[in-house]
Amino acid sequence: MSTSEATIADLSTAREVARQLRVDSVRASTSAGSGHPTSSMSAADLLAVLITRHLRYDWDNPGNDANDHLIFSKGHASPLLYSVFKAVGVVSDEELMSGYRRFGQRLQGHPTPVLPWVDVATGSLGQGLPDGVGIALAGRYLDEVPYRVWVLCGDSEMAEGSMWEALDKAAYYRLTNLVAIVDVNRLGQSGPTEWQWNLDAYARRAEAFGARVLTIDGHDLEAIDEAMRAATDRTDDRPTVILARTLKGRGFSEVENLEGWHGKPLPKEMAERAIRELGGESDLVVRGPMPVDEAPAVRSASTSEPELPRWDVGAKVATRRAYGDALTALGGSNPRIVALDGEVGNSTYSEEFAKAFGDRFFEMYIAEQQMVAAAVGFNVRHYIPFASTFAAFLSRAYDFIRMASISRSNIRLVGSHAGVEIGADGPSQMALEDLAMMRAVQGSTVLYPCDATSTAALVKSMVDLDGVSYLRTTRGAYPVIYETGEAFPIGGAKVLRSGPTDAVTLIGAGVTLHECLTAADRLAADGIQARVIDLYSVKPIDTATLHEAVAATHGRIVVAEDHHPEGGLGSAVADALLAAGSPALRLTHLAVREMPGSGSTAELLAAEGIDADHIAAAARALAS
């Protein structure tokens, strides 16, 4: 192991950098006509000491796996972050002044990974620290590289439950490589924060969650320097929280510690006064220490094709069980696959992966926001995360899923126990909105297999997918339909019944595909031939197969889904056919339209009108 040498700036230089960061934060936001200069000014001293003396980063090589990680959980302080990028010489003053918050430019209002020095998108408060936990987990347990994860947090976001989920998991997993720096500037958007400058209150909470807490004056550079040095002492097996008491708008007397200036750029004349009071413009370029030159643990995927589990046609297998078996098989040939779960691994069957590869399984307990955030963090470190829980509980983490898309993160989510099919557990456990929310995520892939063979094939495909992908699995065991080796391309569909005299098309996925097949048999007994389509890929959707079915069955379509009518299978089909200009469409949409309760699967499917009897009745009405 060797360390690349770099001159460490002294504190007088750090002080000049802090002054420049404040000036440039004012200049950038005023030039843009929007932004958060005062939120940036409060943390300028903290960042100046960090980047000049403690952040081990090769700015010319942001892809260096040995680099420390810097996350602005308080993403609204983007003027400060971009001013940091100028101070280390990777963003020009011209770009800072003419590119910040402008259309088509990379210095967006809140940070995104369009910039190579930004790991994750932030700005929705309460997310940067949870993401940092995932990155720190990868460093401690998988990469085995001594990089550090530094997260700048705002005091307002300490009211977010996700921040405490993050600290809880960071302490549980002994993430000594994680440092949360909380900029306690007392003022939020509309007034004082919940605890203002009561650092003791913050400290009691952080310590109760298992963190080591260091309390400092956030404008005392010597105290900042000593706290950051202490934070890197790994003899303590706890994550570190640095509570820094600061002043919002620090350095300009007209706004310092005053309400009413959150998210407001200084008017031009006022900005000129601020720049003069702060000491004027400058173009210092200062870099801190280089990273420890140590390669991550080698975890290369096998060149051999993994052998997926096999099931006999007709055998009854739950797709959730098939997910666990398939992921375990894939994990054997690809050591970059990691699994996370929300303490329901014996139901999602992620426990099978945990039994086989315990070093790559991370239990997040009942903390779904942290589970998704950790998956994002693992992906920052080039891992292939699969995160599973009951599909209904992913709604709790939806903002994290949305932000994962903005982060350009490749994560794989698996939701089990979907729909009324689960039976007696009742509506609190029934995911009836998940397809809609996942379809709405930019660039997402949404998959809903009906049997074990298709589930395994789709899990394998998910390994190589970009963006947020989602697999919906079913609680109950249903017959295997497909032979081993059947291909299930993303964006495809399977036509299971068809003929030259088809009168109506039945479309289902998951449990309703089996109901459609039963309905088709009953219709055939009445002399009505039905085409049956397994729409296993909900997004992207197989428009060509749908359009062909419309033409063949004279526009007569029945869509049945175990989901609310809004945004699910029916919406996906209608959107695709309308966009394709399909003529003479006569679509009957069967979905869960009433509030369900407890009952058996058969009772609930019938009560909601999505069982074989109701599908057949709808088809007869169209065919007549």
Side-chain angles (χ1 to χ4, degrees), residues 260-553:
W261 282 101
H262 181 92
K264 295 180 181 178
L266 305 187
K268 186 173 183 297
E269 297 78 9
M270 194 177 189
E272 290 171 352
R273 295 195 301 273
I275 292 167
R276 285 196 300 271
E277 186 174 334
L278 289 164
E281 298 179 22
S282 59
D283 292 298
L284 286 172
V285 176
V286 180
R287 294 185 176 183
M290 293 290 283
V292 174
D293 185 15
E294 184 171 314
V298 176
R299 292 179 180 269
S300 300
S302 171
T303 56
S304 62
E305 187 73 10
E307 184 174 346
L308 292 174
R310 296 168 175 264
W311 298 274
D312 293 333
V313 171
K316 289 189 174 182
V317 183
T319 55
R320 60 187 173 117
R321 178 60 187 257
Y323 160 69
D325 291 345
L327 187 66
T328 304
L330 294 166
S333 63
N334 191 336
R336 300 207 71 80
I337 291 176
V338 299
L340 308 92
D341 201 274
E343 204 194 293
V344 289
N346 60 340
S347 290
T348 63
Y349 283 97
S350 66
E351 70 174 9
E352 298 305 312
F353 186 94
K355 292 172 185 175
F357 310 108
D359 61 327
R360 288 186 274 139
F361 176 82
F362 296 88
E363 178 62 77
M364 292 293 112
Y365 299 97
I366 307 297
E368 291 85 4
Q369 295 178 104
Q370 181 56 62
M371 181 184 71
V372 174
V376 170
F378 278 117
N379 186 241
V380 168
R381 296 297 303 181
H382 323 301
Y383 288 96
I384 302 169
F386 282 79
S388 54
T389 186
F390 285 11
F393 304 155
L394 284 169
S395 60
R396 182 178 291 134
Y398 189 61
D399 192 34
F400 284 78
I401 298 168
R402 179 185 70 89
M403 289 295 291
S405 172
I406 299 171
S407 289
R408 296 165 171 77
S409 187
N410 303 324
I411 63 172
R412 298 134 193 96
L413 305 175
V414 180
S416 71
H417 291 64
V420 302
E421 185 274 344
I422 71 168
D425 279 345
S428 70
Q429 313 296 296
M430 297 171 175
L432 294 165
E433 310 84 9
D434 55 316
L435 294 177
M437 76 179 193
M438 294 301 183
R439 284 183 65 224
V441 173
Q442 175 67 32
S444 64
T445 299
V446 181
L447 307 169
Y448 188 13
C450 70
D451 82 339
T453 300
S454 55
T455 299
L458 292 173
V459 172
K460 181 183 176 184
S461 294
M462 290 172 77
V463 170
D464 297 317
L465 287 180
D466 292 332
V468 175
S469 54
Y470 174 60
L471 183 79
R472 192 189 213 218
T473 65
T474 304
R475 181 182 191 179
Y478 293 88
V480 173
I481 294 173
Y482 299 105
E483 296 279 357
T484 297
E486 182 88 17
F488 293 86
I490 302 299
K494 293 290 184 182
V495 180
L496 294 177
R497 304 276 180 87
S498 67
T501 61
D502 290 343
V504 64
T505 297
L506 310 181
I507 299 174
V511 63
T512 60
L513 186 279
H514 294 276
E515 297 296 320
C516 285
L517 289 171
T518 301
D521 291 340
R522 294 175 183 174
L523 291 167
D526 295 340
I528 301 173
Q529 300 304 310
R531 180 168 298 202
V532 178
I533 296 177
D534 176 7
L535 202 67
Y536 66 82
S537 181
V538 181
K539 179 187 178 184
I541 199 167
D542 189 347
T543 302
T545 294
L546 295 175
H547 191 65
E548 182 181 332
V550 168
T553 59

Side-chain angles (χ1 to χ4, degrees), residues 169-214:
K169 299 306 171 289
Y172 176 78
Y173 281 106
R174 305 186 308 282
L175 299 183
T176 59
N177 54 349
L178 179 69
V179 184
I181 307 168
V182 186
D183 177 18
V184 187
N185 64 26
R186 189 184 72 86
L187 296 174
Q189 177 168 331
S190 60
T193 57
E194 182 179 7
W195 294 103
Q196 301 190 47
W197 279 324
N198 187 350
L199 268 62
D200 288 342
Y202 287 113
R204 287 194 300 272
R205 285 161 174 72
E207 287 171 344
F209 275 86
R212 173 178 58 161
V213 177
L214 305 173

